[in-house]
Each structure stands twice: as structure tokens, then as C-alpha cells.
Amino acid sequence: MTSLNQIGQQAKTAAHKLALLDTSTKNHGLQSMANALIANQATILEANKRDLANANEMPKKFLDRLMLNEQRITDMANGLRSITQLSDPTAQIDRGWISDDGLQIIQRRVPLGVIGIIFEARPNVTADATGLTFKSGNAVILRGGKEALQTNLAIAKVLREALVQDNLPADAIQMVSDPSHESAQEMMNLTDYIDVLIPRGGRGLIQRVVKTATIPVIETGAGNCHVYIDKDADLKMATAITVNAKVQRPSVCNAAEKLLIHKNVAKQYLPTIAHALIDHSVQLRGDQTACEIVPEIAPATTEDWDTEYNDLIMAVKVVDDLDEAINHINNHSTHHSETIITNSLERGRQFQEQIDSACVYVNASTRFTDGGMFGFGAEIGISTQKLHARGPMGLHQLTTIKYEITGNGQVRK
Amino acid sequence: MTSLNQIGQQAKTAAHKLALLDTSTKNHGLQSMANALIANQATILEANKRDLANANEMPKKFLDRLMLNEQRITDMANGLRSITQLSDPTAQIDRGWISDDGLQIIQRRVPLGVIGIIFEARPNVTADATGLTFKSGNAVILRGGKEALQTNLAIAKVLREALVQDNLPADAIQMVSDPSHESAQEMMNLTDYIDVLIPRGGRGLIQRVVKTATIPVIETGAGNCHVYIDKDADLKMATAITVNAKVQRPSVCNAAEKLLIHKNVAKQYLPTIAHALIDHSVQLRGDQTACEIVPEIAPATTEDWDTEYNDLIMAVKVVDDLDEAINHINNHSTHHSETIITNSLERGRQFQEQIDSACVYVNASTRFTDGGMFGFGAEIGISTQKLHARGPMGLHQLTTIKYEITGNGQVRK
């Protein structure tokens, strides 16, 4: 088994080579990796069968995430191909100027270097993350869940062989094959080799990485998102957006978990909205006023306001005014996505200015917080922190800058 | 004594208010703070006298950094005034577009929130850092060295009172008054309240913060900078730049610590350059070849290549070619600033493309890596990491983005 230090060194060496590749060479590599996935799908599916057999005691939901089939492999290959269509951020010069001393200063985009990704059951992350890190000129060190190890290793092997065929560095992609807790710890402290660590998975995994890692982490994916229905809201729009934000895909981070409603319209609106949610099998919890208005709402506990359910559950709170709504959200949200439903321009502006979250909506569903929906083409996650990246992270967020300064003998006086 | 949790809460509350201030209000606050420093200089100097009396056993260099006088207080006030002239990054909308679903997406600049600054002896950091964090709409929690505690508290009190007079939140600036090791530890783990921590001081302090803090840190100021003299270099330019990069201000992070020289020109150039350095009292250390060419060069140890001297010392290495120079730099530098002296366009490009540092120069001194020299107006430090900020950090780097999305009832299909 290759040691993590060795993996780190190999990644760093590969990263220096990747940083110098032009866009068409990288696009060719992506096509070759896509072709190789299709050509080797039998091998990948066989490895996946072994993982599934070992995991047969796991819950059905888990097995569904772990399971691959021809369609899912085709989707992975198409994902790699679609990344060839995205523009290459490292081919970009952000800006340039001549300093007072006559130096030409160019600020250009360059890859971050080596990106670590720690993820859970879904083996498609291996191909998806590789596509984005490779296109942006980074080397990647992947560490998947132990239940998907055989599948992940098979996919990584296929991708690496495709790169070698293209005369590209295989170590652009490395999969950690040691599934132990110790190797995870070691990876989170690989300061000399990993430039940034992006955990992908449930809240437990992400919090563990944030609290343990001494290498820089980008925190993604925690979404305790709020819908606030203002006194000036349209009832039909409020109902449609609340239902969409809650039920269209309840397991994802941009689904709404909390409903706040202005007291002036609570009696009139809440029964309609609550029953629309209940019709979609949503279990409702609420504060005292909400429970009084709609008897089907069960009492919420203090913990509810801070909980991301990722399920068909929603907690409802009646607020006195917009200020109370804003304060509640700023105190309890994970700073991901929040929306206000209102016809008031002033109140919409106030909400957008004062809410301290990555994406702040007026009259739209929180479900639009997504690299694809934003037009970024693809995403590696949604950052809920403020440093480096905030909101949907596409290729651009996998890069940094470098200043290239050219003079003709300037010295500092 | 106010607890750190309480300080954190107060900072967060202040930050929400600061984020909403317009530029002219903030500029007025900066002017008021500048005026207050001048008006209260007697009080500040008295506090400084107490600190100096307590520290009278410290080295002279240390006492000089700690000492304030009327001129230094005037400089602090002028620093605050000059920040009013800089453009406010949070008044900026980066870009905006209409998504495929008809959502208007605006990407605007917003403050990071609460910035923690841990620094050492120089009390002027209290005013300088406050100017930058305040102008960019952030609250700041400062923690200075214990030897400067009375001075720092006096300055912070004056600045806070000036804000109150202007009807602005005093908690925009808070100084930690507990100088214990425990309070530093607590501050480095104040995840709920501090958005980013910027250590300012020597390598020891910065490394301690990087290795201890679980809140995001921006690593600044470590500079093992290199000058590489290529076979195609002009001797006169090479000498001038090497001397400037080494001796113009040896104690700072953008001063050069290492000299690499191509073997083809080493015999001809090195004696001239070495003697120019020796004439400026530089102590030289070198590899075997360098020692053979110039007898005044003492043998370097392995540690030399990784050491930042911050002093009139320089280590010299003769390299076989440009590739060896690039490899040596990428393996030993702190990724701050490096320069090549060459008349070859191709080799200059290769150096800039392949060196993995924040600022990569051709034919200019590394001493230009500085917010002022770059035209940023002021700087809070020079980042040697890749995440969020790289190179000189001005007001822009103290901000993040927020997406404000406006629709007319859009739901996701």
C-alpha cells in the first residue's frame, strides 16, 4: 500500500505538470477518460458487485447510492465529456496594469495545486470530481467510503490508464486504498502536499473534517434553509415556492427546512400552505402560534430550529415582523440559501441586504442554488463558508491567482 | 474582564451593523478616529510609557518597535485618513446575469464579518488594522503582545470612543485584554464568531496560529525569497537587483534570502556580485562551487536553504540550468516572491510559468511585493497560501461575495 506521504509527493509532482497543460490537451484527456469508462464498464460493474455483496446488510437507501449500472456509467462518461465544453479558468488573465515603477503586473488564474476530496458512498464522485479538478489543472487525492472501495479503485484505475495512454500524468488522480480511520486523520493533516480539502457527504462527515483538519478546508453542503412569507406576499406564489423548496427533492442541501410567516397573514395563509405541504406528505412542527392556527402542526422543540432534516419535515414559526425573521435566520441558518416571498421592493431589498447567507432570494425557490442552475456548468459543492468560495463552486473556485511581474531592472528606492 | 465568547457575540452584532453602512459614513468614522488619536495622544503616550517601563529588560530592537511618540501617532492618524481615499470594495457589484430560468443573479461584494488579528509588539497595528477592517465593513477582534497591552488598550479605547461620538458601533473594534496563553487558544477556536484569523508577526507566531487554529487562517509573511541569475543575465542589472533585494530592508518578508546562479556565468559574475553584497555587510554562505569561486563565502548547511534570515545573510548556490533553479525554488521557497534575471524572453516566461509562488518577477527586485507598490493603497499582510488571497492583501481581500437572486415566483422543475 502506498503511504499517504508518497501519494502526496506524487500528487505534487503531477500538479506541477498539470499546471502547464493547455486546454485542448486537457479536453483530450477528459474525452479519453470518458471513453475508457465505457470501454471498461464490465470491470467496473464487477468491482461494484463485490462492494454490493459486502454491504448487503446496509439500508436500501445506502445500497442505491452505492449501486452502479450501465446507465450510471454512461452518465459519468457524459459528465466528463460535458466538462470539455466549459471554459478553462486557468487560461484566463484576470487583469494587468503598469505600476508607478513601470513594472508590468499580470494577475493570472492558476490551479490550486493538489485538492483532497473525502466523500461517502456514491462512487460517481470519483469520476465527477476528477473531471473538475483535471480541467482546472489540479491533481486530486480521493478518499471514498470503505463500502465503495473496490468500485472507486476500479474507476480510478481506468481513469489513470486513460491518462497514461494520452501521455498525461497518471498521478493526476489517486485513490487512497487504505480505508482506516488513521489514514483519514493523516490525510487531514497532510499540510505539505494538499492545498485544500473538500469534504463531500453528510453533516457528520463535514463537521468531522472541519474540526480535525489542519489543512485548509472548504465547508460545503450544510443547508438549514429558510422560506419567509412576508405580510406583502402573494398567497399563490408563497404556496408554490414553499412546496417546491420543501418537497421537490427533500434530501438535498438547498431544500428548505424552515418556514417563517408574518403574523399579519399567518391566520389567513398558513392553513392553505400547511395543507399543501401535508398533501405532499410533509410532517409539520411549529411554535405555539403555528400550532394554534393549524391543529395538524406538532409542537417544535428548541433543537428543531437548528436542524437540517434532509427529509419531508418542516418547522413553522410565526414572526412579528421582518426584523424578527431576519434575526431568526441569521442566528439559526447555516448561511446557505434563504428566500423571502413579498411584493414589497423595500422589504425584498432589506432581506437581501441583511441576511448573511451565500444565496439570498426574493420570490424564488431555494432549490436554484446549484452550479448548473446558476449557469456554471458543473459544481464540486456549495460552500457555506465565506473564505475563498461562497455558494456554488464551479471550475473557477478550484483556482487561485499568481502575479507575474516583468521589469527592466527595477529596484526599490 | 469580558469573556471571549461575549467579545465574539458583540463583534458579530457590530458586524451586522457595519455591513449596512455606506461609504461616506465609514469615511467619516475613519476621520473621527484619526482626529481622536491626535486629540488623545497624551493619554496614549502615558500608557505607552507604562508598557516601556515594564519591558525595560527587553532587547533594544524590541523596545524600538514598542515605543510611540508624537510622530508615530501622527503617522497612525494619517494612515487612517489615507484609507478614506481608497475605494470601498463592498460598494461593488462584481457581475450579474439572468439565468435560464429568468432569475436575476447579482454577485456583490460583502464584508467577511468578524476578523481576528493576533499580533506582536508594534502597537500601530491596532490603528492600521482597524482602518482596513472598518473601511471594508468588518468588525475586528485584536490581540496584541502582552508587552504592549496598556498602549493597545489606550488606542482601542480612543478609537471606540470616536465611533460612539459618530453614532457608530464601538464593538467594531475590540481589544482582548486578557494576555494569557489560554485566551489566545480560545480565540483561535472561536468558530462561532470569527470568520478569519490573520496572524501578524514573526514566523513562530504564524506557525503556532496555523497549527493550532480551527477557524480559517490566512497565513502571511513568511518569505524565503530567491534571486536566480540566468546564463543570459546582464551582470550590472543582476548585481543591482541582488543587492537591492537583499540589503534595502533585510528584516522584511520580501527581502531575498537566497541567490541561485547559472554555472555558465558563475565564475565570471559571482565574484562581482558577492563583493557588492559583502560591501553592504552581507554575510555569505554557499554550496561547494560557490565557496570555491569566492573564498569569502562560508559553507552553507542543509538548513540554510529553508531558512528565512530576515538579516544581512544570504546563501548562494550554483545550479546546472534553469530547470534545477526552478526545482530548487519550488522545493525550498515559502511561495512568496522570486525573481529571475535574464535577457531571454523564453526563459523568463518559463520561470514565471513554472515557479509556484505568489509573485514571480523577471528583471526586478522582490522588494516590490507590497500592497503600496502594487497600487492597492494599503495592505494587511502578504498571503503565502493559495486559498482566498495570494500575495499582497488589500481591502478587496477582506471581503467575500453574496448572491442576491430576484425572481417572480420561479420554482425548480
Side-chain angles (χ1 to χ4, degrees):
Chain A
M1 204 150 5
T2 323
S3 79
L4 262 163
N5 253 312
Q6 204 174 328
I7 289 176
Q9 273 164 23
Q10 287 166 185
K12 196 117 207 139
T13 305
H16 282 136
K17 289 178 194 153
L18 291 169
L20 303 175
L21 299 180
D22 58 36
T23 309
S24 62
T25 306
K26 290 189 282 189
N27 284 343
H28 195 277
L30 287 165
Q31 291 286 5
S32 300
M33 289 192 277
N35 296 341
L37 282 177
I38 302 294
N40 294 282
Q41 58 184 334
T43 323
I44 295 169
L45 289 175
E46 204 195 318
N48 189 242
K49 278 218 184 76
R50 275 179 279 145
D51 278 332
L52 285 166
N54 290 334
N56 67 354
E57 313 236 313
M58 299 295 282
K60 214 176 152 195
K61 215 166 161 182
F62 181 92
L63 292 176
D64 177 61
R65 285 198 290 260
L66 177 56
M67 191 266 295
L68 288 184
N69 53 30
E70 289 196 9
Q71 183 56 49
R72 286 187 174 181
I73 292 178
T74 305
D75 290 346
M76 282 194 256
N78 288 342
L80 291 173
R81 290 196 181 103
S82 73
I83 292 170
T84 64
Q85 303 301 307
L86 301 179
S87 80
D88 178 356
T90 66
Q92 195 183 313
I93 289 172
D94 287 337
R95 56 186 186 136
W97 68 98
I98 308 296
S99 79
D100 288 351
D101 302 282
L103 295 169
Q104 178 195 276
I105 304 180
I106 296 292
Q107 179 184 315
R108 58 175 292 192
R109 293 254 132 223
V110 295
L112 281 169
V114 178
I115 295 175
I117 299 199
I118 297 189
F119 62 107
E120 290 179 329
R122 294 182 195 276
N124 63 304
V125 172
T126 305
D128 296 353
T130 296
L132 291 168
T133 54
F134 185 80
K135 176 77 180 235
S136 50
N138 294 288
V140 69
I141 300 176
L142 295 148
R143 186 183 196 283
K146 64 176 186 296
E147 294 82 0
L149 186 62
Q150 298 306 322
T151 315
N152 287 332
L153 287 172
I155 296 171
K157 186 162 180 274
V158 167
L159 299 177
R160 285 168 59 90
E161 283 169 0
L163 290 179
V164 172
Q165 289 289 321
D166 262 24
N167 237 333
L168 293 166
D171 291 330
I173 310 146
Q174 293 181 90
M175 179 69 63
V176 178
S177 60
D178 174 358
S180 71
H181 186 68
E182 289 70 34
S183 93
Q185 289 292 115
E186 203 185 332
M187 183 168 169
M188 290 188 239
N189 296 296
L190 217 57
T191 327
D192 288 344
Y193 302 114
I194 300 184
D195 291 287
V196 60
L197 196 59
I198 306 175
R200 286 188 55 167
R203 193 172 173 78
L205 171 78
I206 289 164
Q207 284 308 308
R208 200 161 60 246
V209 173
V210 167
K211 297 225 160 89
T212 310
T214 52
I215 53 179
V217 174
I218 295 182
E219 197 174 341
T220 62
N224 183 21
C225 302
H226 294 73
V227 174
Y228 167 59
I229 298 174
D230 187 41
K231 64 175 178 176
D232 291 317
D234 174 275
L235 173 59
K236 208 174 141 191
M237 190 194 285
T239 310
I241 288 176
T242 308
V243 169
N244 182 261
K246 179 67 254 179
V247 313
Q248 198 250 354
R249 204 173 161 199
S251 65
V252 294
C253 61
N254 58 18
E257 306 288 15
K258 301 293 161 344
L259 173 64
L260 307 183
I261 185 163
H262 193 289
K263 66 172 182 197
N264 290 12
V265 294
K267 268 191 197 145
Q268 191 198 337
Y269 285 14
L270 195 50
T272 309
I273 297 169
H275 289 116
L277 289 165
I278 291 166
D279 287 350
H280 283 87
S281 311
V282 177
Q283 188 201 112
L284 292 173
R285 302 170 187 179
D287 67 357
Q288 204 187 329
T289 320
C291 292
E292 279 163 18
I293 297 172
V294 180
E296 290 92 335
I297 300 180
T301 64
T302 318
E303 294 81 62
D304 271 297
W305 308 115
D306 298 301
T307 304
E308 184 182 4
Y309 306 115
N310 287 330
D311 207 343
L312 287 171
I313 305 170
M314 192 171 220
V316 187
K317 188 182 173 64
V318 178
V319 294
D320 281 350
D321 52 23
L322 176 56
D323 286 336
E324 191 191 342
I326 290 170
N327 280 333
H328 179 91
I329 294 171
N330 281 340
N331 286 328
H332 296 279
S333 102
T334 52
H335 312 294
H336 188 298
S337 300
E338 335 290 342
T339 188
I340 182 175
I341 320 300
T342 187
N343 282 321
S344 158
L345 179 64
E346 189 191 343
R347 298 158 73 77
R349 290 283 306 133
Q350 189 186 337
F351 188 83
Q352 285 184 322
E353 285 194 344
Q354 297 187 13
I355 290 288
D356 187 20
S357 293
C359 299
V360 191
Y361 292 83
V362 171
N363 294 342
S365 170
T366 55
R367 288 277 295 114
F368 286 102
T369 300
D370 173 279
M373 292 289 122
F374 268 42
F376 297 171
E379 69 171 37
I380 199 142
I382 292 166
S383 165
T384 54
Q385 67 178 38
K386 292 181 180 176
L387 221 62
H388 187 73
R390 198 179 195 199
M393 294 175 64
L395 289 171
H396 180 91
Q397 284 77 15
L398 298 177
T399 64
T400 181
I401 58 161
K402 178 201 245 182
Y403 293 106
E404 292 182 354
I405 304 122
T406 306
N408 50 12
Q410 280 87 343
V411 294
R412 187 153 167 195
K413 287 171 204 88
Chain B
M1 205 154 0
T2 323
S3 79
L4 262 162
N5 253 311
Q6 204 175 328
I7 289 176
Q9 273 166 21
Q10 290 167 181
K12 197 114 206 144
T13 305
H16 282 136
K17 290 178 193 155
L18 291 169
L20 303 175
L21 299 180
D22 57 36
T23 308
S24 61
T25 306
K26 290 188 283 189
N27 284 343
H28 195 278
L30 288 165
Q31 291 287 6
S32 301
M33 288 193 278
N35 296 340
L37 283 177
I38 301 295
N40 294 282
Q41 59 183 333
T43 322
I44 296 168
L45 290 175
E46 204 195 317
N48 189 241
K49 276 215 185 79
R50 275 179 280 147
D51 277 334
L52 285 166
N54 290 333
N56 67 353
E57 312 237 314
M58 300 295 283
K60 213 176 151 192
K61 216 167 162 181
F62 182 91
L63 292 177
D64 178 61
R65 284 199 291 260
L66 178 55
M67 191 265 295
L68 289 185
N69 53 31
E70 288 196 9
Q71 183 56 51
R72 286 186 176 181
I73 292 179
T74 305
D75 289 346
M76 281 194 255
N78 288 340
L80 291 173
R81 290 197 181 100
S82 73
I83 292 170
T84 64
Q85 303 301 309
L86 302 179
S87 79
D88 178 357
T90 67
Q92 194 182 314
I93 289 171
D94 287 338
R95 57 186 185 137
W97 67 99
I98 308 295
S99 80
D100 287 351
D101 302 282
L103 295 169
Q104 178 196 278
I105 305 180
I106 296 291
Q107 179 185 314
R108 59 175 291 192
R109 292 253 133 225
V110 294
L112 282 169
V114 178
I115 296 176
I117 300 199
I118 297 188
F119 62 107
E120 289 178 330
R122 294 182 196 275
N124 64 303
V125 172
T126 305
D128 296 354
T130 295
L132 291 167
T133 54
F134 185 80
K135 176 77 179 235
S136 52
N138 294 286
V140 69
I141 300 175
L142 294 148
R143 188 184 194 282
K146 65 174 185 297
E147 294 83 0
L149 186 61
Q150 299 306 322
T151 316
N152 287 333
L153 287 172
I155 297 171
K157 187 163 178 275
V158 167
L159 299 177
R160 285 168 60 90
E161 283 168 0
L163 291 178
V164 172
Q165 289 289 321
D166 262 24
N167 236 335
L168 293 166
D171 291 331
I173 310 146
Q174 293 180 90
M175 178 71 61
V176 178
S177 60
D178 174 359
S180 72
H181 186 68
E182 289 70 34
S183 94
Q185 289 292 114
E186 204 185 332
M187 183 168 168
M188 290 188 239
N189 295 296
L190 217 56
T191 327
D192 287 343
Y193 302 114
I194 299 184
D195 292 287
V196 60
L197 196 58
I198 307 174
R200 286 189 54 168
R203 195 173 171 77
L205 171 79
I206 290 165
Q207 284 308 308
R208 200 161 61 245
V209 173
V210 167
K211 296 225 159 92
T212 309
T214 52
I215 53 180
V217 175
I218 296 181
E219 197 175 341
T220 62
N224 183 21
C225 303
H226 294 74
V227 174
Y228 167 59
I229 298 173
D230 187 42
K231 63 174 179 178
D232 292 318
D234 174 274
L235 174 59
K236 209 174 139 189
M237 190 194 285
T239 311
I241 289 176
T242 308
V243 170
N244 182 262
K246 180 67 253 180
V247 312
Q248 197 251 352
R249 202 172 162 201
S251 64
V252 294
C253 62
N254 59 18
E257 306 287 15
K258 302 293 161 343
L259 173 64
L260 307 182
I261 185 163
H262 193 289
K263 66 172 183 199
N264 290 14
V265 294
K267 268 191 197 142
Q268 190 198 338
Y269 285 14
L270 196 49
T272 309
I273 296 168
H275 288 116
L277 289 165
I278 291 165
D279 286 349
H280 283 88
S281 312
V282 177
Q283 188 199 113
L284 292 173
R285 303 170 184 177
D287 67 356
Q288 205 187 329
T289 320
C291 294
E292 280 163 16
I293 298 172
V294 181
E296 291 91 335
I297 300 180
T301 64
T302 318
E303 294 82 60
D304 271 299
W305 308 115
D306 297 301
T307 303
E308 184 183 3
Y309 306 116
N310 286 330
D311 207 344
L312 287 172
I313 305 169
M314 191 170 219
V316 187
K317 188 180 172 66
V318 178
V319 295
D320 281 351
D321 52 24
L322 177 57
D323 286 336
E324 192 191 341
I326 291 170
N327 280 334
H328 179 90
I329 294 172
N330 282 340
N331 286 329
H332 295 279
S333 102
T334 52
H335 313 294
H336 188 299
S337 301
E338 333 291 343
T339 187
I340 182 176
I341 320 300
T342 187
N343 283 320
S344 158
L345 179 64
E346 189 191 343
R347 298 159 72 79
R349 290 282 306 132
Q350 189 186 338
F351 188 82
Q352 286 184 320
E353 286 194 344
Q354 297 186 12
I355 290 287
D356 187 19
S357 294
C359 299
V360 192
Y361 292 83
V362 171
N363 294 342
S365 169
T366 56
R367 288 276 296 114
F368 286 102
T369 301
D370 173 279
M373 292 288 121
F374 269 42
F376 297 172
E379 69 171 38
I380 199 143
I382 292 166
S383 165
T384 53
Q385 67 177 40
K386 293 180 181 176
L387 220 61
H388 187 72
R390 199 178 195 200
M393 294 176 65
L395 288 171
H396 180 91
Q397 283 77 16
L398 298 178
T399 64
T400 180
I401 58 160
K402 178 202 245 182
Y403 292 106
E404 293 182 353
I405 305 121
T406 307
N408 50 10
Q410 279 88 341
V411 295
R412 187 152 166 196
K413 285 169 204 92

